[in-house]
DNA sequence: TATTTCACATACGAAACGTATGTGAAATAT
DNA sequence: ATATTTCACATACGTTTCGTATGTGAAATA
């Protein structure tokens, strides 16, 4: 039947999977397309046919990781007590996820540098979109000061992810992580309306 | 007299100056070392002798811009009414400075991606160090909640710089900038001790 | 069964980086 | 003042890698 589409999908997944490893371990610039494709028994021909160019492959990888992150953050946020606690929990989750070298190297460092501003990624940044939705909800409930939702979302994610970069680069991450989370909660609470 | 050292210094400055332009306009990866050096009447020989490699040149450029930023932020902060207002003013200054394509592309995007975590740059990140000093002062004055100074500094700068990336990438920056600043002030106030 | 499609392989050309070596003017020594 | 050494930079080379242009064979269609 549709054997063409089937193997094509397989090959796309193989390439994305190999790219996740290569980009995470070596960084975008140092990752060789020849090597990466050969690892899964293909050539650069398959790559350029499926993703256009090296950037296109990165975009696909970033999209996949970003969606996984957003999904996980949503789950964690939903388990919290109320929307506000949910937002804090999401932020905390992002900090922890950003400790993963793959997330850090691919999504936080190379992603913005190669693909440009996250909010304009071909795939849309799911993490950012999710946070913004939560903020909007809290604004309607008048839990937050009347700030711009997109601005708030950017600041929250920016603070969280930057804190994570710091934690990961520190000498003893486990010791530093709670400090980052505490400071994050403090700053985020600045958005709360004065009740 | 010391003609050797003199012309050597001149050449270093020529290269750094040319690199600022090239890195800002084309990005680190796309900037050609052949082209860049030829623009100032030199060859790659001069570059590799002075800076070791392409990354070394970027490090020198980042260092220069970073120091200019820290100097300017310090001036602005010093002109404010009190240390707390100074910190807010500094943050606001960073947001505005990050609208400069040179700052954005070289220091915020390519810098971390190529050189790694800012706090461990060969040059030390002057901006970060400055903010942390201010935070420490405010902690001694018990103006802030007892948070880790480094964590606070990272969160503040992270939020500010990420907000700036958003503003710059937006369709009408002038309209969006005040929203970013307002949200920033709100979040930063979360660090204040509950008086 | 013949024909067409197309997903991928193969082949090619064009940079660009880093190194190894050369060179000539400045600094030093005689 | 002349000879020697230093060294900042130029030149030349090899390697790697990307993107494109073209070829091909199996699957889909006629």
């Amino acid at each position: 039947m549709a054997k063409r589409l089937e193997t094509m999908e397989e090959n796309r997944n193989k390439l994305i999977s190999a790219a996740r490893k290569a980009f995470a371990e070596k960084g975008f610039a140092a990752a060789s397309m020849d090597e990466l494709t050969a690892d899964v028994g293909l050539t650069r021909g398959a790559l350029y046919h499926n993703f256009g160019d090296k950037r296109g492959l990165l975009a696909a990888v970033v999209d996949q990781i970003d969606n996984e992150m957003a999904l996980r953050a949503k789950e964690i946020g939903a388990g919290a007590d109320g929307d506000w606690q949910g937002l804090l929990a999401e932020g905390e989750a992002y900090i922890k996820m950003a400790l993963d070298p793959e997330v850090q190297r691919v999504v936080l460092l190379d992603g913005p540098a190669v693909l440009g501003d996250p909010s304009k990624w071909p795939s849309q940044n799911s993490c950012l979109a999710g946070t913004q939705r939560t903020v909007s909800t809290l604004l309607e409930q008048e839990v937050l000061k009347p700030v711009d939702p997109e601005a708030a979302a950017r600041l929250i994610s920016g603070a969280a992810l930057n804190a994570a970069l710091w934690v990961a680069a520190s000498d003893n991450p486990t010791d530093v992580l709670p400090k980052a989370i505490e400071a994050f909660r403090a700053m985020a609470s600045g958005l709360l309306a004065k009740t």
Side-chain angles (χ1 to χ4, degrees), chain A:
Chain A
M1 291 174 226
K3 195 171 182 186
R4 294 293 286 266
L5 295 175
E6 189 183 329
T7 60
M8 196 176 168
E9 185 67 20
E10 281 175 16
N11 285 339
R12 280 181 56 94
N13 289 336
K14 278 184 190 173
L15 289 172
I16 291 178
S17 173
R20 279 181 73 144
K21 272 190 212 164
F23 288 155
E25 287 171 6
K26 309 184 173 186
F28 177 77
S32 164
M33 295 293 116
D34 273 317
E35 199 176 317
L36 184 156
T37 51
D39 282 345
V40 291
L42 295 169
T43 68
R44 280 206 331 272
L47 196 162
Y48 284 91
H49 184 72
N50 278 293
F51 300 99
D53 60 357
K54 195 178 179 181
R55 287 183 58 200
L57 180 58
L58 177 65
V61 169
V62 164
D63 182 44
Q64 191 175 84
I65 300 178
D66 179 46
N67 281 323
E68 290 173 8
M69 288 175 69
L71 184 66
R72 191 170 161 191
K74 195 182 172 186
E75 286 173 0
I76 291 174
D81 180 24
D83 289 330
W84 170 245
Q85 291 299 326
L87 184 63
L88 289 180
E90 277 181 33
E92 218 176 292
Y94 283 132
I95 293 180
K96 287 177 185 167
M97 283 189 278
L99 296 180
D100 177 4
E102 195 180 59
V103 169
Q104 200 164 117
R105 176 86 245 178
V106 179
V107 179
L108 304 184
L109 292 177
D110 286 333
V114 176
L115 303 175
D117 187 77
S119 63
K120 302 204 169 173
W121 285 351
S123 63
Q124 260 288 355
N125 186 321
S126 300
C127 293
L128 212 53
T131 306
Q132 195 177 334
R133 274 195 301 276
T134 309
V135 169
S136 295
T137 304
L138 288 166
L139 281 169
E140 287 169 12
Q141 298 172 359
E142 295 185 353
V143 176
L144 301 184
K145 291 175 187 168
V147 295
D148 183 80
E150 197 174 352
R154 286 298 290 242
L155 285 161
I156 290 171
S157 69
L161 301 177
N162 215 282
L165 288 180
W166 167 57
V167 174
S170 73
D171 297 323
N172 51 348
T174 39
D175 195 50
V176 164
L177 179 58
K179 295 179 186 175
I181 292 177
E182 192 190 350
F184 172 76
R185 297 181 90 97
M187 269 193 79
S189 71
L191 292 171
L192 282 170
K194 304 161 194 169
T195 47

